[in-house]
Amino acid sequence: MENTATLENAVSTEDFLPLNGTDHIEFWVGNAKQSAYYYQAAYGFKLVAYAGPETGLKDRASYVLQQGKVRFVLTSALHGDHEISNHHQLHGDGVKVLALWVDDAKKSFEETTKRGAKAAMEPVTLKDGHGEVTIAAIHTYGETIHKFVERSNYSGAFMPGYEAVEGMEVNPVGFEYVDHCVGNVELGQMNEWVKFYEDVMGFKLLITFDDKDISTEYTALMSKVVSNGNGYVKFPINEPAQGKKKSQIEEYLDFYKTGGVQHIAIATKDIIKTVGEMRKRGIEFLYVPDNYYDDLLDRVGEIEEDIEPLKKLNILVDRDDEGYLLQIFTRPVQDRPTVFFEIIQRRGAKSFGKGNFKALFEAIEREQERRGTL
Ligand code: FE2
C-alpha cells in the first residue's frame, strides 16, 4: 500500500475526453476545386476522396486531401445564401472545422455539452459498404467548430457520402502530422477560451506568454497554450495586447471578423527538404533578415544542421530545456491576411519557439507596413 503515486496518477489521468489526435481540418473556401489543385501541386497532398453533386450531395463540393497523417477537407457551397457561402463572404477562406479523432463520438459530445459546450451537431452515425463513422460537433471560438469523429473499423476513403478518387500525381513535401493549431480571439477573450478548453474539454494549461515575452515596438500579444491529456492535441490561443500600433492579431480580427484559426503547424522530419521543395513550388514564407543568423549558434548552441541552408531558406531555430526546434511560417495563404501555416521540426524541444517571437513579429510588421494595416 506504499505506492500512493500510482493511485494519484490513476485519479489525475482520468480523461473524460480521450483524443487520438487530429482527424482532419476542414476549410470553407470560395473555390474548393482550385484550392484542391493548390494543395496538390504546391504542398504535395494526395487527393483521396470527393463529395458533391456526383455523389448525391446537392449543395456543396468537398475535396479530401492527405499527406502523412495530415488530412485537409476543402469545401465550397454551390449556391449563394448558403451557410458556407455566407461564411465565406464574412471570413474569406478559413478553417471551419478542427476535427478530433475519438473512440466514442457520442460520449465526447455528451461529456462536453454536459460541461457547457454549445452543440453544433447532434451525434449521427453514417453508414456505407465500408463500415460506419459517427460524428458530432460542438462550437468553439468564432464560428469554428470541433467535430468528434469516431471511425470504428471504417475502411472507406474518408467517410460515408464520399467517394474515393484518383487525383493528379503529386510529390509530397514531407508533412507528417499536425503539431498544433493556433486560434486568435478578441481582446479579453483568451482566458475565457482557455477556461473552456480546461473545463469543457479537460485540457491543461501548458504555457503562458505575456506581452513581455511577445512584444516589439508595435505588436503585442498574449498567448496561452492548452493541451489535451496525452499531448496529441495542442491549441495555443492568442489575444491582442496594447501596442503602439495595430497588432497582427487585431489585423487578423479586422479581416476575419471574428475569432478563428490563425495558423496550423505541420511537423516534418526534414525541414530543409520540406521548405526547399515548397519554395521551389512558389510558396512564400516570412522573411527574417540575414543578421538573425549571425549569432544563432551563440543563442541556441550546437545543432545538427548546417547554418547555410537554414539561412538560405530562412528557417528559424530555438532551444528549450529538452532540445531544439526548427520552424518557419508561410505568408497568409489567401488574399486576406488571415490563415497561414507553420512548418516545424522538433529535435527534442516541446515548446513553440519563444526565442523567435521578436524576429518573427518584426517580420510580420514589415508585411503589415506593406499592406498599410500597421
Ligand atoms: Fe505555432
Side-chain angles (χ1 to χ4, degrees), residues 289-325:
D290 285 353
N291 64 16
Y292 171 87
Y293 297 90
D294 293 348
D295 56 350
L296 181 64
L297 295 183
D298 298 337
R299 274 182 285 134
V300 302
E302 197 87 337
I303 57 171
E304 283 182 44
E305 293 74 13
D306 291 331
I307 298 290
E308 257 336 287
L310 298 179
K311 186 173 173 178
K312 185 170 154 261
L313 296 168
N314 237 234
I315 294 166
L316 310 178
V317 190
D318 194 27
R319 183 177 285 279
D320 64 20
D321 296 342
E322 291 165 281
Y324 67 97
L325 61 83

Side-chain angles (χ1 to χ4, degrees), residues 180 182 263 265 329 342 352:
H180 59 274
V182 181
H263 75 264
F329 296 82
E342 171 182 352
F352 298 84

Side-chain angles (χ1 to χ4, degrees), residues 88-157:
H88 183 259
Q89 187 178 15
L90 182 63
H91 305 287
D93 288 4
V95 173
K96 176 65 184 181
V97 184
L98 290 172
L100 304 167
W101 176 26
V102 299
D103 290 332
D104 190 336
K106 187 164 174 279
K107 182 169 179 281
S108 304
F109 179 82
E110 285 166 1
E111 293 287 347
T112 49
T113 49
K114 184 171 87 185
R115 290 172 170 82
K118 208 170 117 205
M121 185 198 291
E122 296 282 327
V124 53
T125 299
L126 309 167
K127 292 177 191 176
D128 67 11
H130 300 286
E132 57 181 64
V133 174
T134 302
I135 51 176
I138 58 169
H139 288 276
T140 178
Y141 48 76
E143 289 199 72
T144 317
I145 64 171
H146 286 308
K147 219 173 238 187
F148 300 118
V149 182
E150 170 190 341
R151 313 175 161 279
S152 28
N153 302 315
Y154 186 72
S155 64

Side-chain angles (χ1 to χ4, degrees), residues 25-29 38-39 43 72 87 91-96 98 141 144 181-184 248 251-253 255-256 258-266 284 329-342 371:
I25 296 171
E26 180 168 351
F27 297 76
W28 280 4
V29 299
Y38 168 79
Y39 283 105
Y43 294 73
F72 288 169
H87 191 278
H91 305 287
D93 288 4
V95 173
K96 176 65 184 181
L98 290 172
Y141 48 76
T144 317
C181 293
V182 181
N184 283 342
Q248 49 168 304
E251 187 198 34
Y252 174 101
L253 295 167
F255 283 89
Y256 202 73
T258 63
V261 172
Q262 179 210 39
H263 75 264
I264 296 161
I266 299 173
E284 300 172 317
F329 296 82
T330 70
R331 290 210 169 111
V333 294
Q334 57 290 306
D335 293 302
R336 296 193 201 194
T338 53
V339 186
F340 57 89
F341 294 104
E342 171 182 352
R371 291 193 282 263

